[in-house]
Amino acid sequence: MAKILFMKYDFRKMKLLYLASIVLFAPLGYSTENILSAYSYMLLISTIVPTSLFTYEQRADCGFDLMLPAKEGDRIAGRYLISAVTIIYEFLLGTVIAFILTKTTQAVWFDISVIFKFFVGGILICMSIELCILYIIGRGINPQVRSVMIMLPNMIIWGIAYAAINIFSDKLSSAKGIFSNFEMLGNIVLIVSLIFYIASMYVSTYIVKKKDFR
């Protein structure tokens, strides 16, 4: 129960970012005629929103959440839960945009289950690494340096994904058939990502417990 409460606590801190993903990023996703490019914008926001919580902690008074009656593991589990919820939320938003694109442009529709596995699985693996690094860094680092360390990996991940999609955009018609053959690989990516994510949560908990402060 405490894990859910901390997830809700984190949600209250960043609920405006959820709105921003609709108001700012959804129109960017709709500006393309490639549904994979639309998903790439949601990929970016799904990594920025959870990691922005660490920037918030650097700026705001962090004493209150540490005074709440809960185990350190509950706080961290809540952070991991809200990150996973954010990924699913952004995927659903990307799917809505992709559906609208197929109805209003010449965009090609792909197997949604395959997109889901690679979208969620890929981001979970990235977040597993990034969240661990952020807990290792802790709160003692310079705020400006911390912000750069949060934003730069996200921008690099998005840049690589977006560039790859644009490079192969002229082959999307053939890619539709190729996607159907990626079902098993997608299953593997999703399973491995879940294992990574759960392991990352326990590693982060161990790291924080060994520190005097986050």
Side-chain angles (χ1 to χ4, degrees):
M1 179 60 69
K3 299 176 180 65
I4 302 298
L5 292 176
F6 273 99
M7 181 185 73
K8 294 179 179 179
Y9 178 65
D10 278 343
F11 173 77
R12 287 197 294 270
K13 297 177 186 177
M14 62 183 193
K15 57 185 177 182
L16 291 179
L17 292 176
Y18 279 98
L19 179 61
S21 68
I22 298 175
V23 176
L24 298 178
F25 283 86
L28 290 174
Y30 184 73
S31 66
T32 179
E33 292 189 2
N34 182 339
I35 70 167
L36 297 182
S37 294
Y39 276 108
S40 74
Y41 287 103
M42 299 305 106
L43 180 151
L44 175 62
I45 195 67
S46 65
T47 55
I48 288 178
V49 171
T51 52
S52 68
L53 287 167
F54 291 87
T55 303
Y56 168 87
E57 288 178 338
Q58 186 68 40
R59 294 196 310 263
D61 181 7
C62 304
F64 176 73
D65 64 316
L66 294 177
M67 293 173 62
L68 294 174
K71 297 178 181 178
E72 199 65 64
D74 293 330
R75 298 185 178 90
I76 295 171
R79 180 65 50 87
Y80 273 77
L81 283 174
I82 195 61
S83 299
V85 168
T86 301
I87 293 170
I88 300 300
Y89 168 79
E90 297 301 336
F91 171 80
L92 293 175
L93 182 56
T95 301
V96 171
I97 298 169
F99 178 78
I100 295 173
L101 281 172
T102 60
K103 296 301 181 181
T104 57
T105 70
Q106 299 299 314
V108 179
W109 183 259
F110 296 107
D111 186 338
I112 194 67
S113 66
V114 175
I115 296 177
F116 172 83
K117 291 168 186 175
F118 281 97
F119 182 96
V120 174
I123 300 176
L124 281 177
I125 291 174
C126 292
M127 291 300 296
S128 298
I129 299 171
E130 195 164 353
L131 288 173
C132 264
I133 291 174
L134 290 172
Y135 278 115
I136 290 173
I137 292 172
R139 292 174 171 172
I141 195 170
N142 180 279
Q144 288 72 30
V145 175
R146 186 188 181 105
S147 297
V148 171
M149 294 182 70
I150 289 174
M151 291 298 298
L152 187 58
N154 297 331
M155 296 301 296
I156 291 174
I157 292 169
W158 175 78
I160 292 173
Y162 189 77
I165 289 169
N166 284 332
I167 290 172
F168 296 104
S169 60
D170 59 332
K171 301 180 180 179
L172 285 180
S173 58
S174 61
K176 186 175 181 180
I178 295 172
F179 260 58
S180 63
N181 298 322
F182 275 36
E183 187 77 26
M184 182 58 69
L185 180 58
N187 291 334
I188 295 173
V189 170
L190 188 59
I191 292 171
V192 170
S193 69
L194 290 173
I195 295 172
F196 261 67
Y197 202 66
I198 295 172
S200 172
M201 181 180 68
Y202 282 105
V203 170
S204 294
T205 301
Y206 176 80
I207 290 170
V208 172
K209 285 182 177 179
K210 289 297 182 179
K211 288 188 171 185
D212 293 329
F213 56 89
R214 274 193 291 160

